[in-house]
Amino acid sequence: MSCGDADTLPQADRPRCHFDTNRERIANGLALRFAVPAVALGVFLVFGVLYALHSAIAFDALRWWGVHPPVKEPFLDLRYIFAGVECWAKGINVYISNPCDPLGRPHGYSPLWLRFVFLPSQNWTAVAGLIVDLLFVLSLGAFLSPQSRGELAVMLAAALSPPVVFALQRANVDVLIFLMLLAAAGVWTGRSSRRMLGYGLVTFAGLLKFYPLIVLALAVREKLKTCIAILGVAGILLIGFATYFHAELAEMARNIPTGGYFIGDMFGAKNFPDGIMAAHLGTNGGWFGVVVWSALLALTLALALATFLLLAGRHEFVQFAPLESALFLFGAVVICGCFFAGQSVGYRGIFLLFPVPGLLALHRRSGERAVRRRAAQASALLLFVLWQGILTWNANALDAVRVWLGAPVASALWMALWSARELAWWLLAGILSGIILCFIVESPAADGLRRALGRHSSMESS
């Protein structure tokens, strides 16, 4: 008998169709939730076996994947940290030279790392790197929860993109910062006391790598007095940190990596306008440079305002799960801050994973077609900037195109792809900035400020 005829039977004789349906729904939900970390773990284990048995194959696979620049030794950035601590303990000024590092890279991170004498020696790099990467892979199950096969495909594409693989292959510090901000976002969704722990964790992450400090701007979610107190305490800590380490910070600043506009994996607002001017004028551009920068800023500002006006007052974020909302904002603030502040190495694109569940939820739950369209546009731009490296970072692919089409055609094609990539970054930054602006304007701190200004105005008028 079918489930549709079950209502005609006595209760005891009815088939357990409803129970089976719920069980299937739960099983499908669990399968979707853990599919991303399971696939990522499988890919990670395959590469681990390749490295162990035939490193040349793994190295070539990474080159074709678009990891730039791949290195034959895994976890090299984590070893860089261990090497710096080791040489510093021997009295060597690692800001000038670092003979303990296999690449001789001088220290370009926070001075705080050099005080972590509890870190293991370089002999433990492989073990530590495996632990860091496995923690990252497992963390994907904490927030990547697709609701359909289409969403699963988007999340898998983001999780297996070249910047993510790049960060894991190097076991870069940004993977640790990613885990710390994920933990901070988790406690940020709780009661006031737990949120204070989250701000403390963000501040600590900022003392290690600086750029996470921009997340403290999200303290506007608190009441105005609490927001001022959080920013005040963080400011005092930063002033004390800068005062104590001012000499080392000056030496460190000289070692911060920079890159060209065309060659390499760097992303940042300056790439497109300065790269265009360098390519066509060979200078900073003069008035032409001002025009290019103004046009891009105007485009991004217009897109940010349009996104803000589209979302303002609709309370779309109320429909988000608390962790979805927190991660969305954490990721948007980090990416926009790094984009406009200067150039960042490509593996920092790992933070584009944070907004993915929120964008998919916005597209899924919003009752407004225009909002769903904007979420789809942002998702497409995000996936494009994550995966463009399979061509623009891929030396093998570029060489193959030159052989097939000739150098002039290959150069023109690469320039078109580079331009599309850089423009996509500007457009994505505009949409994310509009979402951040919407959150700030509707935040409790902004509401408290409006009330305070209103009371002040009424007192003056009376």
Side-chain angles (χ1 to χ4, degrees):
M1 174 171 291
S2 67
C3 292
D5 298 329
D7 291 339
T8 63
L9 296 176
Q11 183 70 32
D13 297 332
R14 292 180 184 179
R16 302 180 65 185
C17 297
H18 181 67
F19 174 78
D20 291 340
T21 301
N22 283 342
R23 184 168 59 184
E24 290 179 8
R25 187 181 297 113
I26 293 172
N28 289 335
L30 290 174
L32 285 172
R33 181 173 187 84
F34 294 107
V36 175
V39 172
L41 180 60
V43 173
F44 181 77
L45 292 176
V46 168
F47 266 96
V49 172
L50 281 177
Y51 262 112
L53 299 180
H54 206 308
S55 61
I57 295 178
F59 178 74
D60 199 47
L62 289 174
R63 286 174 63 87
W64 279 104
W65 202 310
V67 174
H68 176 84
V71 289
K72 294 185 178 180
E73 180 182 340
F75 314 137
L76 201 59
D77 286 354
L78 189 61
R79 184 176 178 181
Y80 166 65
I81 295 292
F82 295 163
V85 175
E86 181 182 324
C87 263
W88 182 262
K90 295 177 180 178
I92 299 173
N93 186 346
V94 293
Y95 296 106
I96 298 176
S97 65
N98 185 0
C100 298
D101 180 59
L103 300 183
R105 294 167 291 179
H107 190 71
Y109 288 162
S110 166
L112 206 57
W113 285 103
L114 301 179
R115 274 68 185 178
F116 290 171
V117 295
F118 54 83
L119 291 176
S121 70
Q122 296 183 63
N123 296 330
W124 289 89
T125 298
V127 174
L130 284 171
I131 292 173
V132 169
D133 284 4
L134 286 173
L135 286 174
F136 169 83
V137 170
L138 295 176
S139 76
L140 297 177
F143 71 96
L144 291 178
S145 182
Q147 302 299 310
S148 67
R149 292 180 180 178
E151 291 188 4
L152 174 61
V154 172
M155 291 181 176
L156 279 173
L160 299 177
S161 61
V164 176
V165 179
F166 186 13
L168 295 181
Q169 196 262 346
R170 293 291 191 95
N172 188 264
V173 169
D174 281 349
V175 179
L176 293 171
I177 300 298
F178 180 98
L179 295 172
M180 293 174 69
L181 292 187
L182 175 60
V187 298
W188 197 64
T189 60
R191 295 192 297 256
S192 178
S193 58
R194 291 180 60 189
R195 294 201 299 274
M196 296 306 109
L197 176 62
Y199 293 120
L201 190 54
V202 168
T203 303
F204 178 65
L207 295 179
L208 294 177
K209 204 68 189 288
F210 306 132
Y211 68 84
L213 291 171
I214 195 171
V215 177
L216 290 175
L218 297 179
V220 295
R221 75 154 294 178
E222 311 295 338
K223 294 180 179 179
L224 183 58
K225 291 182 179 179
T226 305
C227 175
I228 294 173
I230 291 170
L231 297 179
V233 171
I236 292 172
L237 286 174
L238 291 176
I239 291 173
F241 178 84
T243 301
Y244 186 81
F245 290 115
H246 69 279
E248 290 183 49
L249 290 171
E251 291 186 87
M252 177 217 71
R254 294 193 294 267
N255 299 326
I256 295 176
T258 57
Y261 306 121
F262 304 103
I263 301 175
D265 59 290
M266 308 291 284
F267 72 87
K270 65 186 297 184
N271 278 7
F272 195 32
D274 289 1
I276 290 292
M277 289 181 289
H280 295 285
L281 300 177
T283 64
N284 59 11
W287 282 107
F288 178 73
V290 174
V291 171
V292 173
W293 269 102
S294 299
L296 286 170
L297 289 172
L299 172 65
T300 304
L301 180 60
L303 187 56
L305 289 176
T307 302
F308 167 73
L309 294 174
L310 184 63
L311 295 174
R314 297 185 187 276
H315 304 292
E316 296 283 357
F317 293 105
V318 175
Q319 304 179 51
F320 281 20
L323 186 58
E324 278 181 352
S325 177
L327 288 173
F328 194 110
L329 292 166
F330 275 42
V333 167
V334 167
I335 289 296
C336 288
C338 291
F339 178 76
F340 289 111
Q343 289 180 306
S344 294
V345 182
Y347 45 63
R348 194 157 298 161
I350 196 172
F351 290 100
L352 284 171
L353 292 180
F354 278 171
V356 171
L359 287 173
L360 294 177
L362 193 63
H363 182 268
R364 182 192 333 121
R365 297 171 184 165
S366 178
E368 296 289 334
R369 180 179 298 179
V371 174
R372 294 197 301 272
R373 184 166 56 248
R374 185 55 52 86
Q377 291 168 350
S379 299
L381 289 168
L382 186 147
L383 289 180
F384 176 70
V385 299
L386 280 175
W387 272 98
Q388 53 76 32
I390 201 169
L391 293 177
T392 59
W393 297 359
N394 189 337
N396 289 356
L398 295 176
D399 291 340
V401 171
R402 290 189 187 98
V403 172
W404 294 337
L405 302 178
V409 175
S411 297
L413 183 62
W414 188 91
M415 189 66 183
L417 181 60
W418 174 85
S419 300
R421 175 189 77 182
E422 297 303 328
L423 184 58
W425 268 111
W426 276 89
L427 295 175
L428 180 61
I431 295 176
L432 295 180
S433 297
I435 295 172
I436 295 169
L437 180 62
C438 183
F439 168 77
I440 291 174
V441 170
E442 297 179 353
S443 67
D447 183 62
L449 182 60
R450 286 191 291 268
R451 291 174 182 271
L453 292 175
R455 288 194 297 269
H456 180 70
S457 298
S458 62
M459 290 176 60
E460 285 188 343
S461 60
S462 61

